Each structure stands twice: as C-alpha cells, then as structure tokens.
Amino acid sequence: MALLTHLLACAFGMGSWVAINGLWVEVPLLVTVLPEQWYLPSYITIIIQMANVGPLFVTLMNRFRPGLLKEVAVIYAIVSVGVMACLLLAFLWNHTSVIAGTSHSISFLILTFFLALVDCTSSVTFLPFMMQLQPQYTNTFFIGEGLSGLIPSLIALGQGSGISTCTNVSYEVNKTTGNETVESTIFHLETHYLPPNFSTLIFFLLMTAMMLTCLLAFFFLTRQPKVWELSQQHLFPSHIVLSSFDQILDEGADSHLSRGCSCPKDPKGRGDILPQKVSYSLTQLTLIYLLIAWVSALTNGVLPSVQSYSCLPYGHTTYHLAATLSSMANPLACIVAMFLPSRSLTLMVLLTMAGTGFGAYNMAIAVMSPCPLLQQSQWGDVIIVLSWVLFTGTLSYMKVMAGVILRSRSRSALVWYGVLEQLGSLLGALLMFPLVNIYGLFKSADYCNLPCPA
C-alpha cells in the first residue's frame, strides 16, 4: 500500500510542470512550422508570465476568503483543463489565423496560455494538498516534479527534436569582369535539422497521456486516509517543528488539527506528545523564503533563457547532453534528499552559493557566445555539461529541503513556498526577456559557421 501511494504521489507531482516543459523541448521543431519562427520562445515566455494570474488568484482567495476555494475541486479543475488543452494542442498546434495581414498561430498561443495557467497554479495547490498525506510522500512528490522535466526531454531526444547536421552546400555564382562573365562554385556549410522520428502530433498525445496519468493519480490520492496531525510528526530522524510564524496557521486549521488528532496524550494531560522542537526565528524563516525566491529565479527564469547560448557554441551534442543530464539531476537530487536528509540552514546557504557559482559560469559562457572559453577543447564540452548538471542538482536539493522544512510547519507555509517560487520565476523571466529579445546581449551561434579564431 505504501509503495502504491509513493507511485501515485510521483505521478501526481509529474503533472505539475510536464506540459510547459514539453513545450520548451519541442520548440526546435515548432519554430520550423509556426509563423512566429524564432520569436516563438519570447511569445511563450510572456504567456507563461501572464498565466501567473492563476496562482495570484488562488493566493488572494486563501488570504481574504479562506475556505471558499475547495483545494480538491481546484486541482481537479486545473488538471482537467491541462488534459483538454494538451489534447486540443495535438490537433490544432499548426493552425494559423491572419490578423492585420500577418499570419499568427492563435490556437497554439491560446492553448499555451491554458497549459501555463495549469502549471503555474499547481505551484500553490499541489504542495498544500500533500499536507493531507503521510510526510514521507513529500519527497516522492518532488521526484515526480523533477520527472516532469526529465521525461519530456527524453521523449524529445527519442523524437530527434532539434538534432542537426552540418551539410556542405555549393552555390553557382556568376562574376562579371568587364565584358567577361565567369561562373564559379562557392562551397558553404549550412545547418540542416534532421527529420523527427515521430510527429509533433504523437508528442503532444504523449503529453496528454501524462496529464491524464496525473489526474488519475490525484483521484486515487484523494481516497487515501487523511493525516491531520502532520505538524506533530517528524519527516526524518531529526525531529524539527517550526515554532515561528504561529499566526500563519489560522484558528480554523488549529481547531481542525485538534479535532482530528489521534496522537496519544501524556499522563499529565498537557496535550499531544510533541517531538523535540528546533525553533526557527523570524529572520531564519525570512532567509528560507528569500533563498526560495532567489533559487527559483535562477532555475526557472534566468538560466533557462541562456542555456542555448552557453551550450550551442560547443556543438549540438553538448547542448542536448547538458539539457538532458541537467533534467536528470533534478529527480536525482530529490532521491539524495530522501536518503541523506539535512535541515541545516548553513548547508542550505552553502548549496545556494555553490549553485549560484555554477550558474554564474554558465551565464559568463553565454555572454561570450559565440566564442566562449575552451571552445576547441573537449574540456570545454565536459566543463559546461558538468556545470549545468551541478547547477541544477545543488539548487534542486536546496529547494527540496526548504519544502520539507516548511511542510513540517503548516499548510500556509507551503502556500507561501509556492508564491515565492512563482514570484522568483516571474522576476527572473522579466529580467532576462529584454536582455535577450530587445537589447541583444546574447549572440546566437551557428556551430557549422563559427566566426571564431582557430
């Protein structure tokens, strides 16, 4: 029974960001068909930020009208919308409409908004729902959340999304000198994308199946026994109960805990037997939330915007290795956190500093594109791949431990975890959009024609 619940929690977490992650890995194929072409990523970025109206609405309702929104009903609604949007996208993604004389993929953009609305809103609904289950399933949920990036990446690699080759193309050129015309042949290397192993229709149908799996997993999770006394249980061998921010948990939740708790009482009648407490001050809890916002900005907004600029100068193989292995580092970090738990704030700060350092290296390489360090050396390929893997791994581990700490506090603490995560992601994306799309700080690189000295 426990193994089944772990699998359900993993499948539930997998549906959190699988749709948007699937869109991003499919972009190399979409831009060859849709009229927006390489402007498409900037459109997707803006749409995702617009979709933050979802978590904002849920957060405000929980704050000013607590209890009005039923958490289970909201999750059923958004996941069902995700299933339908993925299914419609499979058949309508390449339909275009003419607006003001210009062709636009309106169907794709509208459906992308609904997918983003689902995924953004999941950040403030999925984790609080996990409060109703046993504590050990929280890490399993984070593993599933990591798989929401890994599985679409692996499917895209199997599809051959974005795989290209350098082809030697010849051109016949006529040169006229005086009254004499001479025909000459010019050879030029061009990048050609290989045809995919299966269509975009099949890809989006697979995404639909994953969203449907999430919906079914949630249905069965709602049938699991509810555990209301979680604030008095330990998640790992180190017993930790947060004693600050007591006002966050409203009185209704407190009375619900007292009514539903089945913990034994001590013989002196002083209430439930509590584990050894480790208090966190207001400053320490503020630090945790600031770290969540900072890490989310880096991992969801800043660095993803420049991954192609930091990897493509080393070749398409290096780019796909970095993208895939860094996606694998996310669930791996969650597994490590399950077996090697730690709630040390010092460790969290050190991991954040280390991850920020790896991110700074990736950003520096992106700024140097198309001629970064060690471009002609295999060490350059190895270092950039390792840097991306370690960047994702260290910061993913930090986010998991922050979530576990806040989970042991209250449902409201996890709601604010989601809020800060989305806020950090929003600020990171808004920062990078003008730098990439307006000011042109980063230069794209055609690996077949690099303007770099040998």
Side-chain angles (χ1 to χ4, degrees), residues 32-363:
T32 63
V33 179
L34 298 182
E36 288 79 10
Q37 298 182 345
W38 281 106
Y39 289 103
L40 187 63
S42 61
Y43 278 94
I44 295 176
T45 301
I46 290 299
I47 289 172
I48 292 175
Q49 303 315 316
M50 291 172 57
N52 277 296
V53 66
L56 177 62
F57 173 77
V58 172
T59 302
L60 292 178
M61 289 297 292
N62 287 334
R63 175 64 179 86
F64 296 106
R65 299 294 297 274
L68 183 62
L69 284 181
K70 303 301 180 183
E71 197 168 72
V72 172
V74 172
I75 295 177
Y76 269 126
I78 63 174
V79 178
S80 298
V81 169
V83 172
M84 291 303 301
C86 279
L87 183 61
L88 291 174
L89 198 60
F91 298 97
L92 301 177
W93 69 272
N94 58 349
H95 285 224
T96 59
S97 303
V98 177
I99 298 179
T102 305
S103 181
H104 292 281
S105 49
I106 301 299
S107 300
F108 174 84
L109 297 177
I110 291 176
L111 291 172
T112 296
F113 171 78
F114 283 105
L115 290 180
L117 185 66
V118 170
D119 291 0
C120 290
T121 309
S122 72
S123 294
V124 294
T125 54
F126 281 22
L127 262 180
F129 169 78
M130 294 302 295
M131 284 288 290
Q132 302 181 21
L133 303 179
Q134 293 285 350
Q136 62 267 27
Y137 301 124
T138 301
N139 271 23
T140 309
F141 171 84
F142 278 112
I143 293 174
E145 195 175 57
L147 291 177
S148 70
L150 172 62
I151 294 179
S153 297
L154 293 178
I155 294 176
L157 285 178
Q159 182 188 25
S161 175
I163 301 298
S164 62
T165 182
C166 296
T167 303
N168 199 358
V169 180
S170 61
Y171 297 93
E172 299 294 335
V173 179
N174 293 324
K175 294 183 178 180
T176 303
T177 304
N179 296 326
E180 184 178 356
T181 300
V182 179
E183 186 178 273
S184 61
T185 302
I186 297 177
F187 294 94
H188 178 70
L189 285 176
E190 289 186 353
T191 301
H192 286 273
Y193 287 97
L194 302 178
N197 296 322
F198 53 87
S199 67
T200 302
L201 168 66
I202 300 299
F203 181 87
F204 284 127
L205 287 178
L206 291 174
M207 295 299 103
T208 304
M210 293 179 67
M211 288 300 299
L212 186 58
T213 300
C214 172
L215 180 61
L216 293 174
F218 178 67
F219 172 79
F220 289 110
L221 284 176
T222 57
R223 300 308 190 262
Q224 297 294 312
K226 304 299 186 295
V227 182
W228 299 108
E229 63 273 13
L230 291 183
S231 63
Q232 298 173 341
Q233 295 183 355
H234 59 83
L235 299 181
F236 293 114
S238 57
H239 303 331
I240 294 182
V241 174
L242 304 183
S243 61
S244 299
F245 284 162
D246 289 336
Q247 290 77 14
I248 295 179
L249 190 58
D250 57 83
E251 294 179 0
D254 284 332
S255 62
H256 196 79
L257 285 171
S258 62
R259 289 196 304 268
C261 183
S262 59
C263 298
K265 310 289 182 178
D266 69 10
K268 297 181 181 179
R270 297 181 57 186
D272 297 341
I273 298 175
L274 295 174
Q276 180 183 359
K277 292 185 178 181
V278 177
S279 297
Y280 287 86
S281 66
L282 176 61
T283 302
Q284 291 173 321
L285 286 172
T286 302
L287 173 63
I288 292 175
Y289 281 117
L290 289 177
L291 290 179
I292 291 171
W294 172 255
V295 168
S296 298
L298 293 182
T299 56
N300 299 335
V302 176
L303 270 302
S305 302
V306 298
Q307 186 174 34
S308 58
Y309 295 98
S310 67
C311 297
L312 275 176
Y314 297 99
H316 293 279
T317 300
T318 301
Y319 173 68
H320 283 286
L321 281 176
T324 305
L325 294 180
S326 61
S327 295
M328 294 175 64
N330 192 318
L332 181 60
C334 297
I335 295 174
V336 171
M338 180 180 295
F339 294 101
L340 297 175
S342 173
R343 303 197 187 180
S344 168
L345 290 184
T346 302
L347 179 60
M348 290 179 61
V349 172
L350 290 177
L351 287 174
T352 303
M353 293 175 62
T356 303
F358 292 122
Y361 177 81
N362 299 337
M363 179 64 70

Side-chain angles (χ1 to χ4, degrees), residues 38 41-42 302-315 319 361-373 375 384 388 432-433 435-446 450:
W38 281 106
S42 61
V302 176
L303 270 302
S305 302
V306 298
Q307 186 174 34
S308 58
Y309 295 98
S310 67
C311 297
L312 275 176
Y314 297 99
Y319 173 68
Y361 177 81
N362 299 337
M363 179 64 70
I365 293 298
V367 171
M368 286 186 270
S369 175
C371 301
L373 296 174
Q375 186 179 33
I384 193 64
W388 273 101
M432 295 306 298
F433 181 81
L435 297 181
V436 175
N437 297 279
I438 299 177
Y439 298 108
L441 179 62
F442 304 93
K443 306 298 181 183
S444 60
D446 182 357
L450 292 173

